[in-house]
Amino acid sequence: MTGLTRDDIRAAVTAGVMTEAQAAALVVLSEQRSGVRKHVDGLDEPFELFKGFNEIFIVVGLSILYLGFAGVTGMTILGTTQGYILGMVYAVVGLGGTVALARYFTIKRRMVAPSIALAVIFALLAAQFGFAFAAMLDMTTPGSLTTAAGLSALFLSTYYAIFRVPFTMALIALSVFATTFGFATLGGNFPADPRDIFLLSADGPFAVMTIVLGLIGLIIALGFDMSDPHRVTRRASSGFWLHVIAAPAIVNTVALTLFDQDTLFAQLVLAGFLALMALFAVVIDRRSFLVAGVGYVVALAITVVEGQAFFVILMLGAGLVLLGAQWEALRRSVMRILPRFPGKDRLPPYDLMTQESAS
């Protein structure tokens, strides 16, 4: 962009001068008029953890500040050593302090890494408040875990509504997972093995809950994506973090269940499923589903090919590098081949040069 910068537009959104939808439209129009998009084949997947080393410096300071606060107040991840009343008071004080810091670093300074760190600290303090509250009600361990996770999800949702930190969506998703699993354990169900969380063939409801919650997260993430197809606002970044949680939940549940059967038919179905997930990742322009499935491709190579496994792994690595280098071109070809389907025009643009020449 020339003249008006993205920081200016973000500041306008923060000040309420324009909505995020208007900001996205303005950025796209400006880039089209300046000809920036004529020099790119496609859109990259936005991902930003920090803007400079000063942000890392501040994150270190925030981490030490939280640890010092926890040490002075006697707070641990499971509450406080000074009783549940003081535990809730200290947690509320910490939550208030975190909000005050977020108003400066997130809203005023618009820093990325400190905003993520503050969201994590807020989540920890919310969980500590939940554990202290559960202790006041004299709950059992499963009840305490469920209460802490549920209150964390509620507090984090409020935090996201105020500060719109995209990473908060990942924390909310994890809290929802923990709350749902916690409710399942209240009836006496516990996973006998960590793999039971993903194995549909295992006893208990955990794998079913994992894939259902993963699909719900995927739907919400796609909603974020389709509301901002050019990925210039925080909605797209929020969708990214939801994809990071949803993709492993879906892929691991199906893939691990098939891989565990150890039959040729199951391996063929697994290969087809991973290929389908790769195609889906290309269509929605999110690489998280590919990353979640790579490990199973390597495991299949070791299991099926045996002596030539490392050659297959070598080719897989080369293929991933090539895919990363030519992602936009591949996606353009795939999207051209696919017929029209609901929502196709709301996905990230794949043929910008053709669209601009036609307009």
Side-chain angles (χ1 to χ4, degrees):
M1 292 178 61
T2 58
L4 194 66
T5 67
R6 290 191 182 226
D7 280 342
D8 292 330
I9 294 178
R10 292 190 184 102
V13 173
T14 301
V17 176
M18 65 174 66
T19 65
E20 287 193 342
Q22 291 170 333
L26 179 60
V27 170
V28 173
L29 177 62
S30 176
E31 289 185 342
Q32 287 175 342
R33 286 177 60 83
S34 64
V36 171
R37 291 187 181 275
K38 293 181 180 179
H39 301 287
V40 296
D41 295 326
L43 297 172
D44 196 5
E45 187 172 2
F47 178 74
E48 189 177 33
L49 286 178
F50 61 92
K51 293 181 178 179
F53 193 77
N54 185 47
E55 292 198 356
I56 302 300
F57 182 79
I58 294 172
V59 168
V60 172
L62 290 173
S63 301
I64 295 173
L65 178 64
Y66 170 75
L67 291 175
F69 176 76
V72 169
T73 59
M75 298 186 71
T76 67
I77 189 59
L78 297 179
T80 180
T81 59
Q82 300 186 29
Y84 55 79
I85 297 296
L86 282 177
M88 287 189 289
V89 171
Y90 290 146
V92 170
V93 171
L95 291 169
T98 304
V99 168
L101 289 170
R103 287 182 62 84
Y104 177 74
F105 288 112
T106 300
I107 293 181
K108 185 175 181 179
R109 298 289 299 275
R110 299 192 297 278
M111 290 184 164
V112 179
S115 297
I116 293 175
L118 287 169
V120 173
I121 292 172
F122 189 88
L124 291 172
L125 289 166
Q128 289 166 334
F129 177 87
F131 280 117
F133 181 76
M136 182 181 68
L137 299 179
D138 197 23
M139 291 185 174
T140 61
T141 299
S144 297
L145 293 172
T146 306
T147 301
L151 286 176
S152 294
L154 180 62
F155 284 15
L156 285 167
S157 297
T158 304
Y159 189 87
Y160 178 81
I162 297 172
F163 298 106
R164 299 290 179 180
V165 178
F167 182 77
T168 311
M169 291 305 303
L171 299 175
I172 294 172
L174 291 174
S175 298
V176 171
F177 269 90
T179 304
T180 307
F181 291 160
F183 276 116
T185 60
L186 293 179
N189 293 313
F190 292 93
D193 187 280
R195 296 186 350 137
D196 291 352
I197 298 175
F198 299 105
L199 276 176
L200 291 169
S201 57
D203 295 331
F206 297 101
V208 174
M209 291 190 301
T210 298
I211 196 169
V212 169
L213 290 174
L215 290 171
I216 293 174
L218 172 61
I219 293 171
I220 298 174
L222 289 175
F224 277 119
D225 287 347
M226 290 182 174
S227 68
D228 180 19
H230 286 85
R231 293 180 179 169
V232 293
T233 70
R234 287 172 290 183
R235 293 195 303 275
S237 298
S238 299
F240 167 83
W241 287 110
L242 271 180
H243 280 295
V244 168
I245 303 299
I250 297 170
V251 174
N252 284 335
T253 303
V254 177
L256 186 61
T257 300
L258 291 170
F259 190 80
D260 192 64
Q261 293 183 17
D262 197 23
T263 64
L264 178 60
F265 176 75
Q267 290 170 350
L268 291 174
V269 174
L270 174 56
F273 170 75
L274 294 175
L276 181 63
M277 288 296 97
L279 176 62
F280 181 70
V282 171
V283 169
I284 66 173
D285 199 18
R286 289 295 190 187
R287 294 154 179 82
S288 50
F289 284 88
L290 273 174
V291 174
V294 165
Y296 293 100
V297 177
V298 174
L300 271 178
I302 295 174
T303 303
V304 178
V305 186
E306 295 181 354
Q308 300 297 320
F310 286 109
F311 176 76
V312 174
I313 294 173
L314 175 66
M315 297 304 296
L316 173 64
L320 288 175
V321 172
L322 180 62
L323 180 60
Q326 299 297 321
W327 179 273
E328 292 85 3
L330 172 63
R331 183 170 184 269
R332 184 166 58 248
S333 300
V334 170
M335 296 298 282
R336 284 174 176 174
I337 294 172
L338 290 176
R340 289 189 61 83
F341 56 84
K344 185 178 182 180
D345 57 343
R346 297 174 60 196
L347 290 171
Y350 57 91
D351 212 355
L352 289 168
M353 294 180 65
T354 301
Q355 292 173 2
E356 290 180 4
S357 61
S359 60

